[in-house]
Amino acid sequence: MRTDSRPARHAALVAALLALLLGFVSAPPATATSPAPAPYPAVAGTTFRNPLNPGPDPFTTYWKGAYYLTSTQGDSIRMWRSPSLSTLLSADPVTVWTDSDTSRNRDIWAPEFYRFGDRWYLYYTADDGTDEHHRLYVLESERDDPAGPYRFKARLTPPNHASDFAIDPSVFQHGGRLYLAYSGLNPYQHNGLNIAPMSNPYTVSGDAVALDAAGGCPEVREGPEFLNRNGRTWMTYSTCDTGKPDYQVWMMSLPDGADPVVPRDWTQHSGPVFSRADDRGVYGPGHHAFFRSPDGTEDWIVYHAKTTSTNTYTDRTTRAQKITWNAGGGPDLGRPLALGATQDLPSGDPGSGGHWINDDGRSSGDGTVAYTGTWNSGTGCATQCFWGDDHWSDRAGNTATFTFTGTRVALLSVRDTGNGIAALSVDGGSERRVDLYGAIRTGESVQYLSPRLPYGRHTLRVRVTGEHNAASRGGFVSVDRAEVYTD
């Protein structure tokens, strides 16, 4: 069941041992005078890299010139809006819903939003602080805008499961009718797939039926999502515990003209259709949704995954990639791409002037990085680092300074058990202390997102303080890549 209630070196030998503990394979130290490799060809404006958001359970749609994204936040529902997929990470969230009702204002998970008529309906699950009390709810927008404002509309209660655990609501149309699909108590799993008819976007009009869905593990069937094409409705869903590296996506389908609430009308497809890719450092890809490119010619999946094989509910970040359709008429979700892999933007996406700066000085746009003091560098972090390399130091006073042209910068690097506290400053201003420690080693974590700046030339300085919290084994600061934004 898902539960969201969710690098001072003293000698060369000590440094080497700590580096090994951190999982790095050291190369000769990098210094301030080390020559930087030639920049990569500029590709700014046509590409993007994941993650799109630091949260799990994503849902997104493109509407009237913008992408709208939600992910699980726990205490509220927040929405990110951006004209390009490449700038969603730098978008500022808007809180579209909080609730004072103590029976449903805790553990708010997995919001999804759909347009019916000239209103938007936002579906989610929440409880009173007890996981077993999760129930399904829907909000209605006050105007034709995905970002609301919203008002509470109804609790969704299939008559035969009115008092049962329920999460992950999704709504789909089949044969001109609306249906609610969700994960909840059924004869097959505690978190099993159920479908119920609806008479309108906020009213369940009949009993829920249970689907005996396959999944390669006994414990979970959740997060149902839908595509309709080539004469069938395709239902994809996540299986296994979301904390496990084997969390994955399976699929069933239903022909047009069949009845969604007749279990035998569904066809089970064998084996996972989207699963872990160890060679790319991707674990537990699941809880997903689908969206169309701005010009309507491409289908995309948005999903969460992790960079660690450890069983944990942390480190689940939002990612996206294009899907295709196979000769048999069904969706081909492909294999999950490595976090930080450069992808083409969806067709029709206007792009931006955003670009990346690697820790070794390579950049896809206007940007450099310079070091003071001696830093270690190497490729031991492999798929957990952008381009498979990074720099790290625990010498207090050492600095790494990114120089860029834009309006905002995000810093991504490894979190680890031997990492300490960095002091970050923009344009020589006041420092902000950022703790890079992580109880579990995870790659390409979003460590810092700067305030919005006037467009122009700026610097981001990362200073090693040599300090660390009580749980950390060292004071290392890791530097991997920066994402620069110009919006």
Side-chain angles (χ1 to χ4, degrees):
M1 181 175 68
R2 184 177 69 186
T3 306
D4 288 31
S5 314
R6 306 209 336 202
R9 264 183 356 193
H10 303 293
L13 178 60
V14 174
L17 289 172
L18 281 173
L20 286 172
L21 286 171
L22 289 165
F24 296 120
V25 178
S26 291
T31 69
T33 59
S34 296
Y40 273 22
V43 293
T46 63
T47 60
F48 78 100
R49 286 148 302 283
N50 289 314
L52 303 182
N53 185 273
D57 305 335
F59 185 88
T60 192
T61 194
Y62 184 87
W63 189 75
K64 287 191 174 181
Y67 297 87
Y68 293 81
L69 169 73
T70 53
S71 64
T72 289
Q73 300 299 302
D75 61 349
S76 63
I77 299 175
R78 301 204 240 327
M79 189 173 286
W80 288 259
R81 178 186 184 277
S82 174
S84 174
L85 203 68
S86 62
T87 51
L88 266 174
L89 183 64
S90 67
D92 295 317
V94 174
T95 299
V96 300
W97 183 250
T98 57
D99 201 327
S100 59
D101 188 323
T102 57
S103 71
R104 59 174 192 246
N105 66 356
R106 303 278 298 276
D107 304 322
I108 300 172
W109 300 344
E112 301 191 359
F113 48 99
Y114 304 86
R115 184 174 184 259
F116 298 113
D118 61 355
R119 291 294 181 265
W120 290 81
Y121 294 86
L122 199 159
Y123 302 85
Y124 64 101
T125 183
D127 65 21
D128 57 3
T130 300
D131 181 37
E132 197 63 25
H133 295 167
H134 267 102
R135 301 294 184 264
L136 308 180
Y137 303 98
V138 58
L139 313 174
E140 183 181 64
S141 69
E142 295 182 8
R143 57 174 183 257
D144 195 1
D145 188 338
Y150 285 93
R151 59 174 175 262
F152 184 83
K153 189 65 175 178
R155 178 179 159 191
L156 300 171
T157 54
N160 60 332
H161 287 291
S163 299
D164 293 337
F165 170 88
I167 61 171
D168 297 351
S170 181
V171 174
F172 71 101
Q173 296 187 61
H174 183 89
R177 292 194 61 185
L178 283 178
Y179 296 86
L180 170 70
Y182 66 96
S183 177
L185 201 64
N186 73 20
Y188 309 109
Q189 289 91 23
H190 181 277
N191 294 39
L193 295 180
N194 300 280
I195 296 178
M198 304 180 76
S199 56
N200 58 46
Y202 48 87
T203 305
V204 176
S205 57
D207 284 349
V209 299
L211 298 183
D212 186 8
C217 59
E219 63 265 35
V220 167
R221 310 289 184 264
E222 63 185 16
E225 293 297 330
F226 299 87
L227 291 164
N228 188 273
R229 185 163 168 170
N230 302 323
R232 299 187 78 86
T233 290
W234 308 87
M235 178 178 66
T236 53
Y237 55 94
S238 300
T239 77
C240 305
D241 190 307
T242 191
K244 294 181 177 180
D246 288 317
Y247 194 58
Q248 56 194 249
V249 178
W250 285 58
M251 183 169 70
M252 302 177 79
S253 71
L254 182 77
D256 291 353
D259 192 340
V261 296
V262 176
R264 67 174 177 270
D265 284 0
W266 289 90
T267 297
Q268 179 72 59
H269 295 258
S270 63
V273 294
F274 201 62
S275 58
R276 62 189 287 177
D278 295 34
D279 58 324
R280 296 175 174 179
V282 181
Y283 303 93
H287 201 114
H288 61 289
F290 300 104
F291 65 96
R292 304 299 298 274
S293 62
D295 66 3
T297 65
E298 297 172 345
D299 292 297
W300 285 68
I301 184 173
V302 60
Y303 62 98
H304 78 233
K306 301 181 293 187
T307 61
T308 176
S309 61
T310 302
N311 188 343
T312 177
Y313 297 107
T314 65
D315 183 46
R316 296 178 296 164
T317 60
T318 291
R319 306 142 187 235
Q321 62 189 71
K322 187 170 70 172
I323 70 170
T324 59
W325 293 83
N326 59 42
D332 184 350
L333 307 191
R335 297 183 70 224
L337 297 172
L339 188 64
T342 299
Q343 303 180 59
D344 290 336
L345 284 165
S347 183
D349 188 306
S352 71
H355 54 278
W356 51 261
I357 307 170
N358 191 43
D359 63 285
D360 65 5
R362 289 176 286 182
S363 177
S364 65
D366 182 18
T368 61
V369 60
Y371 297 88
T372 65
T374 300
W375 289 69
N376 299 291
S377 64
T379 58
C381 59
T383 58
Q384 287 196 315
C385 292
F386 189 55
W387 294 112
D389 58 19
D390 70 339
H391 283 65
W392 67 98
S393 174
D394 65 348
R395 290 278 187 93
N398 282 0
T399 65
T401 301
F402 292 89
T403 301
F404 62 95
T405 299
T407 59
R408 207 169 199 185
V409 63
L411 189 66
L412 295 89
S413 65
V414 167
R415 288 189 182 277
D416 210 346
T417 56
N419 279 9
I421 295 168
L424 280 66
S425 58
V426 175
D427 297 336
S430 58
E431 291 185 328
R432 174 179 168 180
R433 292 166 65 86
V434 176
D435 194 343
L436 309 187
Y437 167 80
I440 299 170
R441 177 184 168 84
T442 59
E444 296 195 66
S445 300
V446 180
Q447 307 282 21
Y448 172 77
L449 180 63
S450 78
R452 294 198 180 275
L453 308 165
Y455 179 81
R457 196 75 165 166
H458 299 285
T459 60
L460 170 65
R461 189 183 74 161
V462 182
R463 182 175 64 85
V464 181
T465 67
E467 301 169 354
H468 59 87
N469 68 42
S472 179
R473 298 198 303 263
F476 283 91
V477 166
S478 300
V479 176
D480 188 8
R481 70 173 162 118
E483 290 283 340
V484 177
Y485 304 96
T486 60
D487 59 315

